[in-house]
Amino acid sequence: MSDAAPPAALLLPRSLPEALDALAAAPELTVLAGGTDLMVAVNYGRLRPASVLSLRGVDELRSWRRLDDGRLWLGAGLTYRRLQDADLAPLVPALAQAARTVGSPQIRNSGTLGGNLGTASPAGDTLPVLASLGAEVVLRSAAAGERTLPLVEGDTPFLTGPKRTARRPDELLVAVVVPASAGPQEFLKIGTRNAMVISVANCALVVDTAARWLRCTLGSVGPVPMRCPDAEAFAAERLDWPALEAGRPALVGSDAAATVEEFGIRCADAARPIDDHRSTAAYRRHACAVLARRALRRAAA
Ligand SMILES: Cc1cc2nc3c(=O)[nH]c(=O)nc-3n(C[C@H](O)[C@H](O)[C@H](O)COP(=O)(O)OP(=O)(O)OC[C@H]3O[C@@H](n4cnc5c(N)ncnc54)[C@H](O)[C@@H]3O)c2cc1C
């Protein structure tokens, strides 16, 4: 039980416009979604929010829909449990795989996609998946309306560093927009035990068989998710795309093992790991190679 003083005010808006108006009037409000990061900070005395804006009653944020262009609009309030449901999981398999690895059932019932983005931990498990999907982050404020930022690419990404984002104080994270699955997707994670563990390293591989690209992103081995462009180009040149499109193995023949091996080495080269209380940089780099190879084998071999 925490001995933290209760916040001076707890606002419980029932709609998105109501929540945005409250934030416009008081941008210093601390936004609360599932509380699985925020309440840890409060309980450890790292945060003493004067006033809290809870998003629990904002149903718009808990939904998802298909946009006219076929992409998926995933509300920031979708929980990890919801991301695994049968209507959504097949459309974003790597995101569902990542969701399955997060915390415990209690954490997965409360913790949200928006909260993972809001915390912006380098170890956040959804972030490499979203980077490999080329996700766009949708932010909205009462005064300026909506703007969309790429997660990590370009000059103005949403993620600007470890635990730092481009969100303005009067904005809410409303959604992420991602393509629906168009090929194999894999998410793999390594930690100090099998469950209830923060990633020492993780890896998300997303393949689009029609557009013929693959993207690989590593997590927990850099300030933000690290894409592996050199490894991606290397593998893309060596895949049998028609076979992959037909659901058959796309890495065959005597070169297949060497391709997988080299892919792992090139991915590990893209990592910028550090030594910390969870692991060493050397182990993390080794883990990146193992995870990347395993992901490519599962996706294509
Ligand atoms: C026991 C335990 C195990 C965990 N295991 C994992 C794990 O395996 N992998 C992993 O990645 N994480 C893990 N976490 C961390 C946490 O569960 C996730 O980061 C989760 O996604 C946070 O979501 P939340 O809804 O609880 O966010 P909150 O704690 O409510 O908020 C987190 C941050 O995001 C901001 N925020 C939330 N929603 C919005 C919004 N819509 N607009 C603007 N800002 C917003 C908040 O202001 C706050 O700064 C674990 C946590 C615990 C306590």
Side-chain angles (χ1 to χ4, degrees):
M1 178 76 76
S2 160
D3 58 1
L10 174 62
L11 305 186
L12 285 163
R14 309 306 298 181
S15 70
L16 188 52
E18 215 183 295
L20 291 169
D21 286 344
L23 208 52
E28 71 281 4
L29 283 168
T30 297
V31 177
L32 175 76
T36 62
D37 277 326
L38 200 81
M39 293 312 297
V40 173
V42 170
N43 286 341
Y44 275 97
R46 293 196 294 267
L47 193 69
R48 287 281 178 269
S51 303
V52 169
L53 177 75
S54 169
L55 301 177
R56 283 280 170 117
V58 181
D59 287 343
E60 293 103 303
L61 298 179
R62 295 171 173 274
S63 64
W64 73 271
R65 62 176 186 273
R66 232 183 226 279
L67 299 175
D68 290 343
D69 63 9
R71 291 185 302 161
L72 309 174
W73 184 100
L74 306 178
L78 287 172
T79 61
Y80 294 110
R81 194 204 57 74
R82 183 71 184 85
L83 288 171
Q84 294 174 75
D85 283 349
D87 60 336
L88 184 51
L91 301 173
V92 275
L95 204 51
Q97 286 173 28
R100 199 169 55 232
T101 74
V102 170
S104 60
Q106 295 90 332
I107 298 297
R108 294 193 289 273
N109 273 317
S110 293
T112 64
L113 193 55
N116 213 222
L117 285 159
T119 296
S121 161
D125 283 323
T126 68
L127 306 184
V129 181
L130 294 175
S132 280
L133 286 167
E136 292 181 348
V137 179
V138 183
L139 296 151
R140 198 183 297 174
S141 70
E146 206 160 273
R147 67 184 178 124
T148 299
L149 296 179
L151 184 70
V152 284
E153 312 280 328
D155 295 336
T156 55
F158 174 73
L159 295 175
T160 54
K163 303 208 169 180
R164 288 205 314 271
T165 76
R167 184 180 83 86
R168 297 180 191 135
D170 67 337
E171 285 179 322
L172 281 177
L173 260 160
V174 172
V176 290
V177 174
V178 297
S181 169
Q185 298 187 4
E186 297 292 338
F187 172 81
L188 296 160
K189 158 175 175 177
I190 198 157
T192 48
R193 57 188 180 198
N194 269 346
M196 277 287 285
V197 70
I198 301 296
S199 285
V200 160
N202 61 32
C203 172
L205 181 72
V206 172
V207 185
D208 185 321
T209 54
R212 299 195 172 181
W213 55 251
L214 72 85
R215 297 195 194 117
C216 188
T217 309
L218 304 167
S220 216
V221 290
V224 295
M226 308 299 294
R227 280 278 301 279
C228 310
D230 181 41
E232 292 168 2
F234 171 81
E237 278 169 19
R238 284 156 180 84
L239 287 178
D240 179 344
W241 287 99
L244 198 58
E245 206 167 355
R248 294 196 310 273
L251 273 175
V252 288
S254 53
D255 292 346
T259 298
V260 171
E261 181 70 19
E262 180 63 20
F263 180 71
I265 292 169
R266 290 182 186 225
C267 283
D269 280 350
R272 284 167 53 198
I274 55 167
D275 292 330
D276 67 9
H277 61 289
R278 282 197 198 101
S279 188
T280 62
Y283 179 75
R284 283 191 159 108
R285 198 178 289 284
H286 168 74
C288 287
V290 173
L291 294 178
R293 281 184 200 125
R294 207 170 283 170
L296 184 62
R297 242 184 259 118
R298 285 185 188 175

